[in-house]
Amino acid sequence: MRPRGADRILTLDATRIVDCRGIRRDPQANATPLVADLLATGRARIDPLRIGLDIAPDCALIDAQGRPEPRIRVIGPASRAAFWEITAIPDIREQAQTLATELIRQHASA
Ligand SMILES: Cc1cc2nc3c(=O)[nH]c(=O)nc-3n(C[C@H](O)[C@H](O)[C@H](O)COP(=O)(O)OP(=O)(O)OC[C@H]3O[C@@H](n4cnc5c(N)ncnc54)[C@H](O)[C@@H]3O)c2cc1C
């Protein structure tokens, strides 16, 4: 990680990563380093209309072979290929709450 305006790179040990850097018009051409790496290594793919990442109805990222990866979830505008109306904050808020509730349920039953 490089803090804004700094030259130094920080290395952090992390259990979970939340990438909140948004998504731009062409999700592949303008990919953040994290998304570019997921695409390059086949752990993600662009949806057929090239408007976002390909994801499953439960927000799991779909890999290059079409398999959902439940450890990587995508919400907000980055999930617009699956949900389309997911740009306004009230929609994102509801989606985030639904996913958080599901993750807590899974964690509790694990
Ligand atoms: C013009 C406009 C008007 C809108 N009006 C409304 C409205 O009235 N009501 C409504 O509900 N929604 C509105 N929206 C939609 C809503 O603002 C967006 O869908 C929402 O903000 C997306 O949230 P996000 O967290 O995915 O991304 P963003 O809000 O885009 O957040 C991404 C953040 O990451 C930061 N960032 C990017 N790269 C880096 C980096 N390398 N290092 C550090 N930080 C980085 C950016 O500076 C930015 O702050 C509007 C959108 C636009 C463009």
Side-chain angles (χ1 to χ4, degrees), residues 6 11 48 52 84 92 99 102 107:
T11 302
W84 186 241
I92 301 171
L99 178 58
E102 173 59 15
H107 184 71

Side-chain angles (χ1 to χ4, degrees), residues 4 20-22 77 87-90 92:
R4 192 186 294 270
C20 304
R21 288 174 291 185
T87 298
I89 298 300
I92 301 171

Side-chain angles (χ1 to χ4, degrees), residues 34 38 45 61 95 108:
L34 176 63
L38 291 170
R45 67 182 185 187
L61 187 65
Q95 185 189 36

Side-chain angles (χ1 to χ4, degrees), residues 24-103:
R24 298 183 188 88
R25 188 169 301 215
D26 183 327
Q28 190 158 27
N30 301 301
T32 62
L34 176 63
V35 172
D37 183 62
L38 291 170
L39 292 169
T41 55
R43 286 175 291 168
R45 67 182 185 187
I46 301 296
D47 81 284
L49 296 178
R50 301 192 65 79
I51 58 174
L53 297 169
D54 204 8
I55 68 163
D58 65 354
C59 299
L61 187 65
I62 293 177
D63 73 13
Q65 274 72 50
R67 297 172 301 216
E69 169 49 87
R71 291 189 313 144
I72 306 177
R73 305 295 181 114
V74 180
I75 62 171
S79 68
R80 63 193 173 200
F83 302 110
W84 186 241
E85 285 289 351
I86 198 65
T87 298
I89 298 300
D91 294 325
I92 301 171
R93 188 169 57 216
E94 194 174 307
Q95 185 189 36
Q97 182 180 19
T98 301
L99 178 58
T101 302
E102 173 59 15
L103 294 178

